[in-house]
Amino acid sequence: MSLGMTRGFFITFEGLDGSGKSTQLRKLADWLKSEHGDRIVITRQPGGTEVGNRIRELLLDSRTQIAPRAELGLMFSDRAQCIAEVIAPALAEGKIVVCDRFTDSTEAYQGGGRELGSDVVLELHKAICGGLQPDLTLLLLPDFARSLERARRRNGRKAGRGPDENRFEREDEAFFRRVFDKFCEIARREPSRVVVIDGDQDIQQIHDRIVEIVKDRLKGHFHPR
Ligand code: ADP
Ligand code: TYD
């Protein structure tokens, strides 16, 4: 999407369940709000819109059986709605958009985890998202076993409270290993967009590193040298 100099800035967070994405997104959002006020728009996938939240319920409910290609289609339906309603208008107004997961998750989970491959995901991205790419993707990569353990502990604490969002968490270790490997492959393929963050440090250290990266990229984007 080429919106020229007036275009806002699009940041996505990626990583396995339990990688610390949501924790870091919240902290970055607070920092951005203190620096840039109401220029900040926060969203997530799946979800982020009314239609998206209904799709999210369907996708994450462990009682639903969804064929891999149907799952793929639903992820893109959700994304298309979020782009139309939230992301594209905000970027056109010059805002900074921060999104919890985007197409890299589809490539990692459906392409890698479900073994549908990257090609179909990238083709759908082009057709459905008009090729919209984040300006910066923060990929949180703690040690593989550690993210699984964190996600399990967190889900254990949440068990029985709120909606059932466990469908993916029930997958086995081999599934998450394929997701992890695909995230690493994406980072190698697109090193200027995707910044890998060592997720094994403590929460504040990771936050400080993220702020440093974001500050630098925003400066380059809004005040090109
Ligand atoms: P995600 O959104 O990637 O699934 P969360 O941000 O919800 O991950 O974090 C999963 C769990 O791990 C939470 O209980 C969170 O408090 C904890 N956590 C997050 N970051 C760290 C970290 N750097 N070190 C230790 N625990 C962490
Ligand atoms: P999320 O709410 O970010 O979960 P978590 O906080 O545990 O990381 O995402 C929900 C689940 O949806 C997560 O297991 C990853 C999965 N997902 C896909 O499989 N494909 C996608 O395109 C997206 C956006 C998410």
Side-chain angles (χ1 to χ4, degrees):
M1 212 179 239
S2 58
L3 295 169
M5 293 291 290
T6 56
R7 185 187 186 276
F9 196 80
F10 184 25
I11 302 173
T12 59
F13 274 84
E14 294 286 358
L16 280 188
D17 308 74
S19 59
K21 255 175 329 83
S22 315
T23 306
Q24 292 301 331
L25 187 145
R26 271 194 302 275
K27 286 178 78 71
L28 179 68
D30 288 345
W31 180 81
L32 283 169
K33 278 183 194 148
S34 70
E35 295 280 310
H36 299 275
D38 55 12
R39 268 179 84 187
I40 311 305
V41 173
I42 311 293
T43 189
R44 69 163 177 183
Q45 292 173 8
T49 63
E50 204 181 312
V51 167
N53 282 327
R54 290 166 76 179
I55 297 174
R56 180 182 173 93
E57 268 176 43
L58 196 59
L59 275 167
L60 302 189
D61 188 332
S62 57
R63 292 163 303 190
T64 357
Q65 300 281 333
I66 307 179
R69 283 187 173 70
E71 184 178 278
L72 174 67
L74 285 170
M75 292 297 176
F76 273 108
S77 299
D78 163 72
R79 184 160 304 124
Q81 188 71 26
C82 188
I83 291 172
E85 242 184 71
V86 181
I87 301 174
L91 291 178
E93 285 174 20
K95 298 209 160 132
I96 300 169
V97 178
V98 187
C99 189
D100 195 343
R101 298 191 182 280
F102 195 62
T103 297
D104 295 328
S105 278
T106 315
E107 190 178 345
Y109 284 79
Q110 282 65 52
R114 301 275 188 237
E115 300 182 279
L116 295 175
S118 290
D119 290 354
V120 64
V121 176
L122 298 177
E123 278 162 28
L124 284 170
H125 181 73
K126 213 189 302 166
I128 290 174
C129 307
L132 172 66
Q133 288 295 0
D135 296 290
L136 170 66
T137 296
L138 298 159
L139 172 58
L140 277 158
L141 275 190
D143 170 70
F144 174 70
R146 190 161 298 146
S147 9
L148 281 195
E149 192 213 320
R150 274 191 210 154
R152 294 215 168 101
R153 229 184 307 134
R154 182 198 56 190
N155 298 335
R157 282 199 300 271
K158 280 212 263 177
R161 289 188 283 128
D164 176 346
E165 292 201 332
N166 287 324
R167 205 170 59 84
F168 284 93
E169 274 100 3
R170 297 219 167 144
E171 292 299 329
D172 62 11
E173 193 167 320
F175 175 89
F176 287 109
R177 173 57 74 177
R178 289 195 295 276
V179 175
F180 184 87
D181 290 346
K182 190 58 93 176
F183 272 133
C184 295
E185 185 187 316
I186 296 168
R188 280 195 303 273
R189 188 181 71 211
E190 294 184 60
S192 57
R193 171 175 68 87
V194 182
V195 178
V196 177
I197 312 280
D198 170 8
D200 290 317
Q201 302 158 283
D202 70 35
I203 291 176
Q204 189 58 37
Q205 277 175 317
I206 298 174
H207 173 65
D208 293 345
R209 173 83 190 110
I210 288 176
V211 165
E212 199 184 329
I213 295 164
V214 169
K215 245 188 195 166
D216 188 56
R217 296 285 181 118
L218 285 176
K219 204 164 43 179
H221 183 78
F222 289 111
H223 308 284
R225 280 167 281 249

